[in-house]
């Protein structure tokens, strides 16, 4: 029996033995890992005894084993957790240079599959049983700490997979941990710096009159139900349009929101709806939250307060929250936000890829 491979070059006829020997010479390793987060968006990392850097759960794909089965097996062996992994986040081609492999390893390259292990609640986390003798500790860490704790290739891969999960466009193809077709989240480098952290309780009622307003932020809805998020161009950090009240706002938070939205994002909005406030633990100030419909978006401006031109993206409210570390109060804020969205007559957004908005007028 003979096998004739398809090629752009002049076809050659091989025996099965010759064809198998040729493919074996080009063989690569195969691996599988999983990205698991807690409800704050922190990433599960393992500290192992045989390396001085952290790892994601995972390992080598055994002979005759599929990558998904390998990842599930490794989760059971390393963490004592039984679960199926059926959603891919990334497929990474790892070169010898990218892995910084020592010559003695005779590393031929590796195809590494990264799966979505989901968001674990407190009960699931409490059920973790690290494998004795291999896993010294398991810790959930802020995504921005991954380059500090992991090897460069593993950190690149983990961050790319996290961005792919937020982006919701399906698995991405990587080369040495970097996407071959970067999204706006990749280009901005989101998650490489610490996310905005506010764990203050959220209240739907008005802020106490004796508390000065420190901040006014707005959830600005496009007609499809997505919201406008701003990314800092030099750090990738995310924020909502809004800012600190100034004298020209005459104590009116709506004027603050309108002014800041114009200055930061060239955004015009309809009549804002108050959705609630966050009070600082020491009750020294309050932070107000509004929802409003986007009516117009001009060319991206230079923010006079920072000198930056923000990268503007549209994301579902749920995707936007993954860019922040707002803790459990975010659940209450999200519920109030969707109530306001309904009052504004705007549909709930379907989870979809994050995109940069077009300049123009929005018809509601």
């Amino acid at each position: 029996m003979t096998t004739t491979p398809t090629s752009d070059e002049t076809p050659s006829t091989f025996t099965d033995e010759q064809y198998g020997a040729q493919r074996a010479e080009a063989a690569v390793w195969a691996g599988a890992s999983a990205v698991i987060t807690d409800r704050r968006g922190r990433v599960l990392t393992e500290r192992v005894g045989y390396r001085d850097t952290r790892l994601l759960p995972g390992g080598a794909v055994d002979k005759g084993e599929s990558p998904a089965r390998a990842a599930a097996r490794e989760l059971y062996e390393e963490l004592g957790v039984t679960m199926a992994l059926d959603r891919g986040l990334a497929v990474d081609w790892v070169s010898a240079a990218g892995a910084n492999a020592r010559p003695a390893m005779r590393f031929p390259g590796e195809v590494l599959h990264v799966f979505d292990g989901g968001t674990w609640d407190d009960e699931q986390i409490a059920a973790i049983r690290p494998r004795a003798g291999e896993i010294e500790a398991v810790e959930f860490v802020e995504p921005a700490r991954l380059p500090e704790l992991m090897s460069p290739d593993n950190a690149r891969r983990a961050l790319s997979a996290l961005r792919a999960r937020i982006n919701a466009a399906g698995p991405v193809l990587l080369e040495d941990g970097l996407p071959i077709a970067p999204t706006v989240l990749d280009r901005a480098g989101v998650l490489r710096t610490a996310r905005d952290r506010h764990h203050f309780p959220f209240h739907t009622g008005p802020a106490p009159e004796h508390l000065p307003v420190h901040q006014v932020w707005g959830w600005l809805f496009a007609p499809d139900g997505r919201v406008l998020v701003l990314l800092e161009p030099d750090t990738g950090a995310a924020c909502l349009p809004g800012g600190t009240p100034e004298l020209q706002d005459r104590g009116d938070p709506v004027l603050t929101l309108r002014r800041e939205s114009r200055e930061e994002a060239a955004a015009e909005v309809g009549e804002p709806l108050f959705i609630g406030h966050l009070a600082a633990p020491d009750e020294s100030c309050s932070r107000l939250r509004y929802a409003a419909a986007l009516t117009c978006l001009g060319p991206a401006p230079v923010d006079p307060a920072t000198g930056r031109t923000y990268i503007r993206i549209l994301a579902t409210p749920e995707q936007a929250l993954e860019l922040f570390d707002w803790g459990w109060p975010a659940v209450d804020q999200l519920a109030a936000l969707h109530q306001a969205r309904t009052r504004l007559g705007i549909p709930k957004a379907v989870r979809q890829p994050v995109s940069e908005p077009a300049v123009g007028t929005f018809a509601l």
Side-chain angles (χ1 to χ4, degrees):
M1 178 179 178
T2 60
T3 305
T4 306
T6 302
S7 172
D8 293 334
E9 300 175 357
T10 304
S12 300
T13 300
F14 294 89
T15 66
D16 287 349
E17 291 77 11
Q18 291 171 325
Y19 183 57
Q22 183 195 58
R23 294 301 297 268
E25 290 178 356
V28 297
W29 296 354
S33 64
V35 169
I36 298 165
T37 55
D38 64 9
R39 290 187 292 185
R40 283 179 51 190
R42 298 178 301 177
V43 184
L44 186 153
T45 63
E46 298 176 340
R47 191 170 75 235
V48 297
Y50 55 90
R51 294 187 64 161
D52 59 2
T53 55
R54 303 282 183 91
L55 297 172
L56 296 178
V61 176
D62 289 343
K63 184 177 181 179
E65 187 178 41
S66 74
R69 288 185 180 275
R73 172 180 55 75
E74 291 284 351
L75 277 183
Y76 177 74
E77 292 177 356
E78 295 178 352
L79 303 179
V81 174
T82 301
M83 65 180 298
L85 295 167
D86 55 10
R87 182 185 173 204
L89 293 178
V91 178
D92 190 12
W93 158 246
V94 184
S95 68
N100 196 27
R102 297 182 296 275
M105 294 177 64
R106 301 175 61 189
F107 182 67
E110 181 175 22
V111 176
L112 205 154
H113 298 253
V114 185
F115 291 90
D116 188 354
T119 299
W120 288 12
D121 58 25
D122 293 342
E123 184 177 349
Q124 290 172 294
I125 294 172
I128 294 174
R129 297 294 181 268
R131 185 179 187 177
E134 179 183 0
I135 311 301
E136 297 182 341
V138 171
E139 182 184 6
F140 285 86
V141 303
E142 175 66 21
R145 292 192 63 204
L146 295 179
E148 160 199 343
L149 298 172
M150 305 179 84
S151 65
D153 58 321
N154 284 336
R156 290 193 300 268
R157 183 182 311 112
L159 287 173
S160 292
L162 280 168
R163 293 174 190 135
R165 184 163 84 165
I166 295 171
N167 194 50
V172 295
L173 298 178
L174 311 177
E175 292 184 357
D176 290 329
L178 298 175
I180 62 176
T183 67
V184 62
L185 299 182
D186 297 311
R187 296 193 300 271
V190 300
L191 304 180
R192 62 188 167 94
T193 53
R195 297 171 299 160
D196 180 71
R197 188 179 188 273
H198 283 160
H199 288 194
F200 308 142
F202 178 78
H203 307 278
T204 54
E209 292 185 2
H210 69 279
L211 292 183
V213 176
H214 176 72
Q215 181 191 77
V216 182
W217 275 2
W219 294 91
L220 309 185
F221 283 99
D224 65 358
R226 292 187 292 170
V227 294
L228 183 67
V229 180
L230 308 181
L231 305 177
E232 293 189 1
D234 49 348
T235 67
C239 64
L240 295 176
T244 304
E246 297 181 3
L247 288 177
Q248 60 186 297
D249 303 327
R250 304 188 300 278
D252 186 342
V254 170
L255 291 181
T256 299
L257 177 62
R258 291 186 182 280
R259 175 184 54 75
E260 290 283 354
S261 297
R262 292 189 190 105
E263 291 177 356
E264 295 177 338
E268 299 292 340
V269 300
E271 190 61 32
L273 296 178
F274 178 75
I275 66 170
H277 74 280
L278 290 85
D282 59 2
E283 295 190 346
S284 60
C285 64
S286 63
R287 292 166 168 81
L288 309 186
R289 298 291 181 262
Y290 284 82
L294 269 174
T295 59
C296 185
L297 201 62
V302 175
D303 180 12
T306 65
R308 301 184 183 96
T309 298
Y310 289 101
I311 300 169
R312 302 174 299 185
I313 61 172
L314 291 177
T316 68
E318 292 73 15
Q319 286 170 311
L321 284 176
E322 294 181 61
L323 302 175
F324 307 121
D325 178 12
W326 287 356
W328 60 265
V331 176
D332 297 331
Q333 187 170 167
L334 187 63
L337 175 63
H338 281 302
Q339 291 176 1
R341 174 189 53 75
T342 301
R343 290 171 58 192
L344 291 169
I346 297 173
K348 184 175 181 179
V350 176
R351 194 172 179 94
Q352 58 190 285
V354 171
S355 64
E356 295 182 80
V359 172
T361 300
F362 294 91
L364 297 175

